[in-house]
Amino acid sequence: AVWRKQGRDGRMLWAVTAGTASASVLLGWTAPVGPRLDSASRSARRHPAPLCCADDQRPAAAAPESSGGGASSSSSQLRVATFNLLCPAYRRMSAADDDVRESEFADVYTSRCERILQFEPLWSADIICAQEFWYGNDLFFDTMIGRLEPRFRMHGMQRPRISATVSRPDGLFMAISRAWEVVHEADLNFEDAAGRGAQVLQLR
């Protein structure tokens, strides 16, 4: 869902929300800058850190630049692509055997990864919000990040662990056009049986 309205200072205010049973995303940004909400302020981590959130990880803030497609931060339009990637660790490959998953077939999941990256709405979007991003496979992770990083800043959060020794393979993922600056962010762990989590970003 997307809404926008005019702020008191004349600037446009936006909010974008997306979510599933496994992960949800909330994005919002306004002109004022409040207290920082990033990894440095967290007292405990129950899951891996976001892809890019701490001051020493985030690219230096710069004036908004042309995105080469999609809207700029000064535009009254915003393009958001949001969808479920269907994590290969969950995708069933056989009706006869429920335990056979796509993650067992590298040629299948690498081919699907390439098809995802060729999906045109990704490249015309200002913001990508995705659920079931596969954190549990280095090849999938590195391919997705490496291809998107020149145009987008990467953010995301792997779902909380099931136990001290068992990790959930997926999480939420966001790619933010470099035309936008990430001002604040915070991770939310709902601490429920489904392992739901969320990430909150403020952009300008």
Side-chain angles (χ1 to χ4, degrees):
V2 181
W3 63 259
R4 65 187 179 94
K5 67 177 182 178
Q6 200 78 14
R8 292 181 179 179
D9 60 357
R11 299 194 185 189
M12 195 65 67
L13 310 183
W14 296 84
V16 183
T17 62
T20 67
S22 63
S24 59
V25 180
L26 170 64
L27 303 177
W29 51 97
T30 62
V33 176
R36 295 197 63 81
L37 295 174
D38 57 25
S39 62
S41 66
R42 299 179 194 129
S43 59
R45 294 186 183 182
R46 297 182 177 87
H47 47 72
L51 300 179
C52 175
C53 62
D55 289 344
D56 59 353
Q57 296 173 320
R58 184 183 299 128
E65 58 199 61
S66 173
S67 60
S72 71
S73 61
S74 61
S75 174
S76 61
Q77 295 185 354
L78 182 75
R79 294 188 178 99
V80 179
T82 177
F83 49 91
N84 191 306
L85 293 175
L86 184 52
C87 178
Y90 303 143
R91 186 186 179 200
R92 295 174 175 83
M93 300 296 290
S94 171
D97 188 346
D98 191 61
D99 292 331
V100 178
R101 303 301 170 97
E102 184 186 21
S103 56
E104 300 175 33
F105 305 95
D107 57 331
V108 178
Y109 66 69
T110 54
S111 175
R112 187 159 71 91
C113 180
E114 285 297 327
R115 294 198 301 274
I116 291 172
L117 288 167
Q118 293 170 14
F119 189 47
E120 190 278 332
L122 262 66
W123 301 102
S124 61
D126 296 289
I127 297 171
I128 301 169
C129 301
Q131 296 82 46
E132 292 195 21
F133 182 84
W134 196 16
Y135 284 88
N137 181 275
D138 290 340
L139 177 59
F140 182 94
F141 182 95
D142 292 341
T143 300
M144 293 288 289
I145 299 303
R147 295 276 285 277
L148 292 170
E149 197 165 26
R151 169 163 161 68
F152 298 96
R153 292 188 173 91
M154 306 300 152
H155 294 261
M157 185 181 75
Q158 188 169 355
R159 290 204 293 154
R161 289 175 173 270
I162 297 174
S163 68
T165 58
V166 181
S167 298
R168 290 182 172 92
D170 68 312
L172 64 88
F173 169 78
M174 290 181 285
I176 311 298
S177 169
R178 292 183 178 274
W180 294 89
E181 177 189 355
V182 177
V183 181
H184 308 307
E185 73 178 288
D187 297 342
L188 302 177
N189 178 359
F190 295 113
E191 299 184 353
D192 59 7
R196 294 180 305 158
Q199 193 169 67
V200 181
L201 303 183
Q202 181 181 7
L203 310 181
R204 66 181 175 188

